[in-house]
């Protein structure tokens, strides 16, 4: 290990904006705005992106909508169908990524 001998350096500039790459994620820092940590973390692994997108879409559809006067809007058959379709897509993607979490089949076995 090299020792630092002599007079210390003057006017040392600290980098305030930088990124750190960890292989599967990229962390963006701006110490002027957020001195305690990163302001953005990018996940470079795209295996769960579709599942996450479907989850947020389903949550947005489940969120109640309101009129201008504050009254809650009705949930129509069309909205229910959209929710069922997105939920079905979500669970098919979930079981594709995590096949061991698929629920067991109950009941009698079909006769061949």
């Amino acid at each position: 290990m090299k020792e630092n001998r002599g007079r210390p350096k003057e006017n040392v500039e600290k980098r305030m904006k930088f990124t750190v790459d960890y292989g599967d994620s990229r962390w963006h820092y701006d110490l002027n705005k957020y001195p305690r940590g990163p302001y953005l973390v990018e996940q470079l692994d795209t295996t769960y992106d579709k599942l996450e997108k479907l989850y947020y879409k389903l949550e947005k559809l489940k969120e109640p909508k309101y009129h201008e006067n504050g009254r809650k809007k009705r949930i129509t058959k069309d909205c229910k169908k959209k929710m069922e379709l997105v939920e079905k897509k979500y669970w098919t993607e979930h079981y594709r990524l995590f096949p061991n979490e698929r629920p067991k089949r109950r009941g009698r076995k079909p006769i061949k």
Side-chain angles (χ1 to χ4, degrees), residues 47-48 50-51 54 86-105:
T47 52
Y48 304 110
K50 185 175 179 186
L51 187 68
L54 287 169
V86 170
E87 193 168 6
K88 188 177 179 183
K89 284 182 182 177
Y90 172 81
W91 286 112
T92 53
E93 183 67 19
H94 179 84
Y95 294 138
R96 187 182 68 78
L97 293 171
F98 305 104
N100 57 345
E101 292 184 7
R102 190 177 295 271
K104 293 180 181 176
R105 293 199 162 198

Side-chain angles (χ1 to χ4, degrees), residues 7 10 13-14 38 50 58 62 67 69-71 73 94 97 100-101:
R7 192 176 188 133
E10 292 182 19
E13 292 185 23
K14 188 176 179 185
K50 185 175 179 186
L58 184 63
K62 283 183 179 179
H67 290 285
N69 59 5
R71 291 186 60 189
K73 284 187 178 180
H94 179 84
L97 293 171
N100 57 345
E101 292 184 7

